Amino acid sequence: MILARVGRALRSHDWFTALIELVLLVIGIFFGFQLDRWNDERLDRESADEYRVQLISDLKVERSDITSLIEYHETVRDYAEVALAAWDKQPLADPGDLVVALYQASNVLPFTSARGAYDALAANGLIDLIGDPALRSRLASYYGQATNRVFEEEKRYRREVRGVMPIDVQRRVLDNCVVLSTDTSISESLSSNCDLDLDPDYLAAVLESIKRHPNLRNYLREGVSRDSIFIYLMTAKLAFIDKLLEELQSI
């Protein structure tokens, strides 16, 4: 419509009218683009806020998982400290309990980060809409941490003790001393009270066989140190999550 009026004004040499119509055309196009831009920005802000809510949910899930993981590895470390007594001249625990402790000290649970919302924000170019630069920097630092990769290598103790412990004993420990849960996800806990229901003399012989492994006690100590470092790092990770949650929820 405007272009037609501009054309008529030019043909009639009505330069003023043509100029006015042309200005109105440019203004209309400008505002049309601006409205589209404002609408796109509004949609981006809405999407970013939805991701922010999901990010909070992911961090809460991760916090719960890490809390359980710390408790699990504290239990593993406790078993390892009991298992170290197997090399004492007069161990306080009986052979059956020591065999259980030796096996449980080899356990490990992997850590998997719940980072779907953060990765989606980054992939869709919306991360700059989350909080201020300081918060975005902390988020990038948190999700860029390689805490989980530090412990990807298998414990030497785990490999060695499971190589020397008889399979029937390992099965009894799994059947009687490990509790699997599938309530919200597959998880594992270690029972403090379990009976292998095996002959005491057989368990004493198994224990003596395990103790003869030349480096097992050193590997076990190494495992205790590794679990302690893991617990320390994960506890620090919890504090980091709490700070992030506080900032994200205040936006």
Side-chain angles (χ1 to χ4, degrees):
M1 182 68 74
I2 292 179
L3 285 174
R5 291 200 298 268
V6 171
R8 287 196 297 271
L10 289 174
R11 286 192 296 273
S12 63
H13 302 289
D14 187 354
W15 308 116
F16 180 75
T17 301
L19 179 61
I20 294 298
E21 296 289 352
L22 189 59
V23 169
L24 291 174
L25 175 62
V26 172
I27 291 174
I29 292 173
F30 171 77
F31 276 106
F33 280 125
Q34 191 63 33
L35 286 172
D36 285 342
R37 179 184 173 185
W38 288 337
N39 187 56
D40 288 342
E41 289 177 350
R42 178 183 61 81
L43 292 175
D44 284 347
R45 286 194 297 270
E46 290 177 356
S47 295
D49 194 57
E50 290 175 0
Y51 281 125
R52 180 186 66 84
V53 173
Q54 184 58 47
L55 189 58
I56 290 171
S57 178
D58 283 354
L59 286 170
K60 286 181 177 179
V61 169
E62 190 149 312
R63 193 190 192 291
S64 176
D65 289 346
I66 290 175
T67 300
S68 298
L69 201 61
I70 289 172
E71 293 174 355
Y72 182 90
H73 282 274
E74 285 176 340
T75 303
V76 169
R77 186 177 59 182
D78 290 343
Y79 272 115
E81 291 174 351
V82 171
L84 281 170
W87 284 268
D88 292 345
K89 289 184 177 180
Q90 292 183 329
L92 296 178
D94 64 40
D97 290 339
L98 288 172
V99 168
V100 170
L102 285 161
Y103 181 89
Q104 301 289 49
S106 71
N107 282 314
V108 63
L109 276 183
F111 169 67
T112 303
S113 180
R115 52 179 301 144
Y118 180 81
D119 288 343
L121 278 166
N124 292 315
L126 300 175
I127 192 66
D128 288 342
L129 298 178
I130 301 295
D132 58 19
L135 172 58
R136 294 194 292 272
S137 177
R138 282 189 285 275
L139 283 168
S141 175
Y142 177 80
Y143 284 104
Q145 290 173 355
T147 307
N148 53 326
R149 290 194 290 273
V150 172
F151 299 94
E152 283 181 353
E153 183 181 353
E154 186 179 20
K155 285 181 181 179
R156 287 193 293 182
Y157 173 75
R158 176 185 175 90
R159 182 172 61 248
E160 296 296 329
V161 76
R162 296 190 179 197
V164 297
M165 185 177 292
I167 293 298
D168 64 321
V169 176
Q170 295 187 45
R171 286 176 178 165
R172 289 295 181 96
V173 176
L174 284 173
D175 290 342
N176 301 332
C177 312
V178 176
V179 180
L180 288 177
S181 172
T182 57
D183 292 339
T184 55
S185 62
I186 298 176
S187 61
E188 179 181 284
S189 60
L190 308 179
S191 175
S192 58
N193 296 312
C194 59
D195 182 6
L196 299 185
D197 194 25
L198 291 171
D199 181 71
D201 291 337
Y202 173 60
L203 289 172
V206 168
L207 179 61
E208 289 304 314
S209 174
I210 293 172
K211 287 168 56 180
R212 284 195 293 270
H213 188 293
N215 297 311
L216 195 62
R217 180 164 54 168
N218 292 338
Y219 293 157
L220 181 54
R221 289 172 179 152
E222 179 186 71
V224 172
S225 175
R226 179 179 169 135
D227 283 325
S228 296
I229 294 170
F230 183 81
I231 291 165
Y232 173 80
L233 290 176
M234 286 299 168
T235 302
K237 205 173 181 74
L238 283 183
F240 204 155
I241 289 175
D242 288 339
K243 179 64 175 175
L244 289 175
L245 284 172
E246 180 183 347
E247 293 185 70
L248 287 167
Q249 290 170 330
S250 67
I251 297 174

